[in-house]
Amino acid sequence: MWLSDSQKIGVAFCSGGGFFLIGGVILFFDRAMLAMGNILFLIGLTIIIGVQKTFRFFARREKLKGTAAFAAGILLILLRWPLIGFCVELYGIMVLFGDFLATIAGFAANIPVIGPYIAQALERLSGGRRNAELPV
């Protein structure tokens, strides 16, 4: 899969967002790092798949509960409730991006030694959904 230069920048933004989210959790739910991770993740996702596809993905009827939970989690983080906000946001992420976990598990299975264990855990989390209505 070849990515354009702008999509590569989007992947960098999403990766940075992931690192900030992990750092925010490691630093006992630091509100600033969690907020920065959310912003970078959303910017990266928008750059990777485009503005219209991003809006269509978040506005799907079956994804509205996940979108509301994700937005409420970000709002709670910004309103100084980082632990509760992160938990609500994590639920929203699972509803929104749960379809991707089986696909990621397929790639993770190729990692030496620990790959099969990671793939098995991701397949259990996803509930067996594979390639169901992916946005791209």
Side-chain angles (χ1 to χ4, degrees):
M1 179 173 117
W2 299 101
L3 298 174
S4 68
D5 288 339
S6 63
Q7 288 176 324
K8 290 176 186 176
I9 293 169
V11 169
F13 272 106
C14 282
S15 300
F19 286 128
F20 270 95
L21 286 172
I22 291 169
V25 170
I26 289 173
L27 292 173
F28 303 110
F29 297 97
D30 181 48
R31 185 173 63 98
M33 289 193 72
L34 291 173
M36 183 61 74
N38 288 327
I39 292 168
L40 288 174
F41 176 74
L42 289 174
I43 290 171
L45 183 67
T46 305
I47 292 173
I48 291 172
I49 65 174
V51 176
Q52 283 185 331
K53 284 185 181 179
T54 301
F55 283 127
R56 270 191 266 147
F57 176 73
F58 283 108
R60 282 190 196 161
R61 182 179 221 51
E62 63 271 6
K63 303 279 186 186
L64 285 179
K65 189 183 346 179
T67 301
F70 186 70
I74 291 173
L75 185 66
L76 285 170
I77 288 172
L78 294 175
L79 292 175
R80 298 180 186 229
W81 290 77
L83 180 61
I84 296 169
F86 185 76
C87 292
V88 171
E89 183 180 333
L90 194 61
Y91 170 74
I93 288 172
M94 290 303 295
V95 171
L96 285 170
F97 300 104
D99 298 340
F100 295 111
L101 291 179
T103 305
I104 294 169
F107 290 112
N110 295 328
I111 298 173
V113 181
I114 61 169
Y117 301 111
I118 295 172
Q120 186 179 19
L122 288 174
E123 286 175 1
R124 282 186 186 159
L125 278 175
S126 71
R129 299 175 294 194
R130 187 171 189 105
N131 294 330
E133 295 289 325
L134 299 179
V136 216

